[in-house]
Every structure is written in C-alpha cells, then in structure tokens.
Amino acid sequence: MDDGTAWGGPDTEEPALGTPFHRSGDADPAGPYADGPWRNYFLILLDRIPTPIAVCRADGTVLIANPAMAGQWGVAPGRLRDRNLLDLFRPRDEAQLIRIAEAVRLGRRSRYPVEVHWRSASDGSEREGELTVDPVGDPSVQPPALLALLRVRETAPPPAPRGTASHVEARILALAAGGATTASIGTALGLTVDGVNYHLTRLARRWRVRGRAALVAKAYVLGVLSPESWPPAPA
C-alpha cells in the first residue's frame, strides 16, 4: 500500500473519507501496546478514561471507541466500530482536514486540532468541541492509526436553579413586590401580621438574604415571581 492519506485529502490515490482501507493491513488499535498483556492493559485503561477517545484508521474509520466517546451518541462502544468520524462530527473548517491528510502522507507525527460540531443523542441539542487527531503507532507502519480525543465545549450556561416557595409564600412575595404593607398582605390572605412575618423570615433564612427588598429581588432571580407581570404575580 502507498503512503495513506487521512480524511480523504485531495490529489491522493488513497480511498476518500468513508471508504475503509483493506483489513489485512490494519494496525492494532493498541498501537505500541499490541503485544502480550500490554494490549489488555491498554484496552482496560481506554475503557476507564472519562475523555471521549477513538482509535481510527487513517481514513477516519473507527477501530475502537471508549464508552465516553460512544456516550455522545447514546450507544455501546462496539456500535461505533466501522463508523467514520465524519459521519459523527461535522468540521467547521475543511482546511483542517487537508492539513491532517498532508501530515499523514508525509509521515509527520504531531497533534492536529479540528473544530467540530454534532447533535447530542441525549437531548438533541447542537454541541461544539475540538477533536484532536494524533497519528500513532509504529513509525514503520503506513498509514498510521489515528488517535482522536474529543474536548466537549459548553455552548450554553446551565439554567439558573428555580427557587422553592409554597403557594402562600409566593402570594406574599407578589404582594410585597407590589409595595403592600405587612398588615395589608395579612388582610388580603387572611393571615395575621405575625403569620406574614413568619413566612417572610423563613424565606429569608432559606434563601440567605436580608430585608424585604433583597427577598423580592431573589424571588425574581429564582423564578418564583413572573418578570412579565404587573401587578407582580407568582410565576
């Protein structure tokens, strides 16, 4: 076989991305640890690493993937074998793939980052990250296997935690946000002044704030009060 070119680079006689190389010349996914007990140690370690990792042929076809990588698509690791990285990830810049193809053709051994995006299997959301591709294995074996490590990028901040408040507490907060006095809140809800103060004190301790203004502000932040209503109303 001639020197292989990864990722279906241009002006090459090697198969394009998605067309597997013939199996007889496949490098073992364990690379330099392919002989003896070291192969099992390598596979056990790969299985336990939390970083999404796959070992591929030079054309991007998956030889082996660890559970963290398979988890991006909600499948068992064995289900990714013979899939192609470009069936799974979409590159942001095709030029990055050409760089990898040229590096493999010339026998260079370095790490090559590829900005990718894909759709999460867990919730269908669009995910982004960096796939680092590293030619590995015995330098005399051409084309080499590719070690692909995925760094998932958080694309959105986690939602703010929603506060907990009973129906009565939410109504007290709504009236307080509208400027009602403690006495008028009690009259509106059929509570005594002490009863209103009891609920407000419990909320202040639970949310760790001081003063009625801070309590009302925290109620809006936590989603207990609707930011789109006036007069103020529970969410």
Side-chain angles (χ1 to χ4, degrees), residues 208-228:
R208 298 180 181 179
V209 298
R210 290 185 178 181
R212 184 172 297 192
L215 194 58
V216 168
K218 190 71 177 267
Y220 278 109
V221 170
L222 296 179
V224 172
L225 296 180
S226 172
E228 300 176 353

Side-chain angles (χ1 to χ4, degrees), residues 1-2 4 14 20-29 31 56-59 63 81 136-138 140-146:
M1 181 185 300
D2 295 334
E14 293 296 333
F21 287 104
H22 59 75
R23 302 292 181 113
S24 62
D26 282 349
D28 191 289
C56 312
R57 298 187 186 92
D59 68 340
L63 293 170
R81 180 176 172 83
V136 293
D138 190 331
S140 64
V141 176
Q142 288 295 334
L146 301 178

Side-chain angles (χ1 to χ4, degrees), residues 167-187:
H167 176 68
V168 172
E169 290 169 340
R171 293 181 64 193
I172 290 173
L173 288 168
L175 291 169
T181 65
T182 303
S184 61
I185 292 173
T187 300

Side-chain angles (χ1 to χ4, degrees), residues 24-48:
S24 62
D26 282 349
D28 191 289
Y33 305 105
D35 295 328
W38 290 106
R39 185 180 194 280
N40 290 335
Y41 297 154
F42 167 80
L43 296 177
I44 291 172
L45 179 62
L46 183 68
D47 188 65
R48 295 181 178 179

Side-chain angles (χ1 to χ4, degrees), residues 3-7 58 99-108 112 135 142-144 146:
D3 287 348
T5 300
W7 307 88
R99 286 184 59 215
I100 299 174
E102 183 68 5
V104 172
R105 187 181 70 81
L106 297 175
R108 295 173 183 164
Y112 301 91
Q142 288 295 334
L146 301 178

